[in-house]
Amino acid sequence: MFLPIAAGAQMPSSSDTLRIAHLCDPQIGFYKDSLFVDIAAFEREIENVNALRPDLVVIAGDMVNIPDSTYFGLFTKSVSKLEVPVVYTPGNHDIYAPATQKGIDNYTKVFGPDLTVTPVKGRTLISFNTQLFGNADPKLIADHRQRLEQAVENAGKQGGGVIMLSHIPPFVVDIDEKEEYFNLPKSDRRALLDLFGKNGVFIWLCGHTHKTHRNDYGPVAILNGENTSVNFDYHPKGFRLLTIAPDNTFSWIFIPN
């Protein structure tokens, strides 16, 4: 079942204030013995999003804990209640590492392409696959990076500002921190951020860390919000409402579950 980006809706096209609900890691199945906990929390979040009526919802990966038909089915049943267009990005629980074509195909059958470009209110939102950084088939990595670079450069030429969406952030505290589970390979961090910065990217939305934090690198604000499943820093469950003014200044506020 493919969930289209804008099911039954037209994407807003004016360059006015843009409101995005930034959801992180619903991870249906995290509590394996009590699935209702994950589902109930996610559906409360959906109710809150529908009440706010943002222009767009982004889900920053890990839609499920185990990428099989059971958990995908539970997620799609819940997310079908959203009344707002939604953009996804693959997480490490949606496509297991090392990423393979089979794993990517399994993801795309449900969520669509692992790299998408969405014009919205004069900006461009690009979702890409951080499972193809690090340990994966070199051919898959090279193809994804080429498509990503082209998408970012094209968006930069259009102007208006670019927003990136991925699961894994480039770093958690410092760009030169040790390479580990919660960040991208050191060899990729500056290259990506330099590419983004010179092509009009001003926000990079992420998930994965199960912690809430903001980092800045040049013109790019890297934002990790609260989760639906569990927060390792003991923040309450919920999501972030990102409000971007016409001049691309923004606020990023917590909406409790």
Side-chain angles (χ1 to χ4, degrees), residues 45-59:
E45 200 160 78
I46 288 171
E47 290 175 2
N48 290 337
V49 169
N50 288 340
L52 287 168
R53 306 298 299 181
D55 299 297
L56 184 67
V57 177
V58 300
I59 302 182

Side-chain angles (χ1 to χ4, degrees), residues 175 186-198 217:
I175 194 166
K186 288 183 75 171
S187 58
D188 293 312
R189 297 171 196 168
R190 278 195 170 84
L192 279 176
L193 284 161
D194 289 343
L195 170 71
F196 294 171
K198 72 181 183 181
Y217 182 89

Side-chain angles (χ1 to χ4, degrees), residues 134-149:
N135 185 19
D137 183 324
K139 291 182 180 179
L140 293 175
I141 291 172
D143 175 70
H144 193 78
R145 292 188 186 190
Q146 182 180 19
R147 291 186 292 123
L148 174 61
E149 289 176 10

Side-chain angles (χ1 to χ4, degrees), residues 1-11 56-57 59 75-76 79-80 82-88 107-113 116-118:
M1 175 184 176
F2 168 53
L3 304 174
I5 288 174
Q10 294 295 316
M11 293 302 299
L56 184 67
V57 177
I59 302 182
F75 176 86
T76 56
V79 84
S80 68
L82 264 177
E83 299 168 359
V84 179
V86 58
V87 175
Y88 304 95
Y107 171 89
T108 59
K109 285 177 185 175
V110 180
F111 301 104
T116 61
V117 178
T118 305

Side-chain angles (χ1 to χ4, degrees), residues 242-257:
L242 177 65
T243 302
I244 303 172
D247 65 356
N248 284 346
T249 57
F250 67 89
S251 64
W252 185 61
I253 64 170
F254 176 58
I255 307 297
N257 202 329

